[in-house]
Amino acid sequence: MNIRSRKTAPAEPIDTGSLSPADYRLPLWFFGFEGVLAAAFDILQAFPSAWPVLLVALAVNITVSLTLMRKRLGLAKALWRGKETRKIAIALVVLRVGSHFLLKALGLTITSTLGHALFAVAMGAITIGLLAYSQHIAIRALITTKKPAPAAASI
């Protein structure tokens, strides 16, 4: 198989016939892990000794993903293959790097513990909000594709 055919191959279909939206919806607390990991840079800047806690959070995130959230991995894989989720991930990285460059250009670098802690809370909240929104859109799309089209009215 050449590279061109791999890029154009359709994503694997997800069997959502036996699942209700509540079955494949990720709980909001799970996004908390992602928010903490998105805020890890500023957490480490504010509290350098917090790296073991972040490693434990990463390990728990991976463990929960592979065990408790096992039936939802198909949806997660499909989300990562989607353009919108990749756009969100890229936007978060651009926001992280861009905001620090912008602040530095304005002469307002964050150096205090409080500043980094506030920035970590902001990045975590933005991450959780965007991921929850992305999930909502994906689930709504799955629900609407599962509904049968209304029959045309006969005259």
Side-chain angles (χ1 to χ4, degrees), residues 7-59:
K7 287 184 179 178
T8 59
E12 297 173 17
I14 301 171
D15 178 26
T16 58
S18 62
L19 297 175
S20 71
D23 289 333
Y24 50 83
R25 180 173 308 202
L26 295 171
L28 191 57
W29 60 262
F30 184 73
F31 292 134
F33 286 121
E34 306 303 325
V36 167
L37 295 176
F41 175 78
D42 283 300
I43 291 171
L44 289 174
Q45 294 297 316
F47 310 104
S49 60
W51 66 267
V53 175
L54 291 175
L55 285 178
V56 168
L58 178 63

Side-chain angles (χ1 to χ4, degrees), residues 75-153:
L75 177 65
K77 287 177 185 176
L79 284 174
W80 274 110
R81 287 185 188 121
K83 278 197 264 184
E84 294 302 317
T85 307
R86 286 192 300 257
K87 285 180 185 177
I88 288 173
I90 291 168
L92 287 170
V93 171
V94 168
L95 177 65
R96 152 70 52 225
V97 174
S99 60
H100 280 289
F101 277 130
L102 179 65
L103 287 172
K104 193 172 275 193
L106 295 173
L108 301 170
T109 58
I110 298 175
T111 56
S112 69
T113 300
L114 178 62
H116 281 293
L118 290 175
F119 211 88
V121 168
M123 283 303 296
I126 290 169
T127 301
I128 291 169
L130 287 174
L131 290 175
Y133 174 74
S134 175
Q135 173 183 256
H136 173 73
I137 296 299
I139 290 173
R140 189 171 68 189
L142 285 173
I143 290 170
T144 57
T145 58
K146 283 173 59 173
K147 290 181 182 175

